[in-house]
């Protein structure tokens, strides 16, 4: 049985959230699922678009950080603690567990070529 339950999000880091939101919503015609400000940071936004089983997310108004601002894959897990333990035992390097919103747990990692990903569980 797979620890990973599915690819739930592809996250794009963008400098101009308004321009990018207009492009994906108005020009490509994607439906906005949710729009949130990052708590304590009115300058940063999080916009989710419905794209089928995987959600496109714009994480916005960020200064570019070469090598860190590339797309990130977000994988859903059902049991966060078990998944974290199993993956680290398999040699996957995961960062510290964080909870950016109530009932959400996230850990970040990178593949062997440095491509970023997260595992997450919304309880």
């Amino acid at each position: 049985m797979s620890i990973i339950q599915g690819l739930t999000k592809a996250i794009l880091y963008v400098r101009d959230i308004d321009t990018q939101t207009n492009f994906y919503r108005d020009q490509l015609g994607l439906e906005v699922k949710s729009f949130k400000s990052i708590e304590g940071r009115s300058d940063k936004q999080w916009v989710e678009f419905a794209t089928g089983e995987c959600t496109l997310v714009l994480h916005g108004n960020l200064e570019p950080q070469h090598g860190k601002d590339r797309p990130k894959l977000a994988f859903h897990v059902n049991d966060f603690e078990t998944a974290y333990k199993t993956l680290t035992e398999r040699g996957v390097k995961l960062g510290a567990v964080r909870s950016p919103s109530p009932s959400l747990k996230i850990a970040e990692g990178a593949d062997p070529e440095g491509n970023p990903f997260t595992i997450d569980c919304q309880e």
Side-chain angles (χ1 to χ4, degrees):
M1 182 166 130
S2 178
I3 295 289
I4 303 297
Q5 298 304 303
L7 178 64
T8 56
K9 294 178 180 73
I11 303 168
L12 295 178
Y13 295 90
V14 301
R15 282 186 290 247
D16 185 336
I17 193 73
D18 294 327
T19 297
Q20 293 293 78
T21 298
N22 290 341
F23 174 78
Y24 286 99
R25 180 191 60 215
D26 302 335
Q27 292 182 277
L28 290 187
L30 298 179
E31 176 187 343
V32 174
K33 285 175 54 173
S34 70
F35 185 93
K36 301 172 190 167
S37 291
I38 305 301
E39 186 174 325
R41 296 289 308 264
S42 62
D43 62 322
K44 293 188 181 179
Q45 308 293 320
W46 179 273
V47 182
E48 295 186 356
F49 293 92
T51 59
E53 290 187 34
C54 182
T55 299
L56 171 63
V57 177
L58 301 181
H59 194 324
N61 296 338
L62 300 170
E63 290 300 315
Q65 297 178 323
H66 184 68
K68 294 182 180 179
D69 55 357
R70 58 184 148 185
K72 182 187 295 182
L73 303 177
F75 295 100
H76 173 73
V77 298
N78 286 331
D79 179 339
F80 191 88
E81 286 74 19
T82 299
Y84 189 93
K85 182 179 185 292
T86 301
L87 292 172
T88 56
E89 286 173 351
R90 291 179 183 171
V92 177
K93 292 184 173 114
L94 293 171
V97 177
R98 59 187 182 90
S99 186
S101 64
S103 73
L104 175 63
K105 290 183 181 178
I106 295 175
E108 297 177 333
D111 71 15
E113 293 187 2
N115 297 301
F117 70 89
T118 63
I119 60 169
D120 65 59
C121 183
Q122 183 86 38
E123 297 174 340

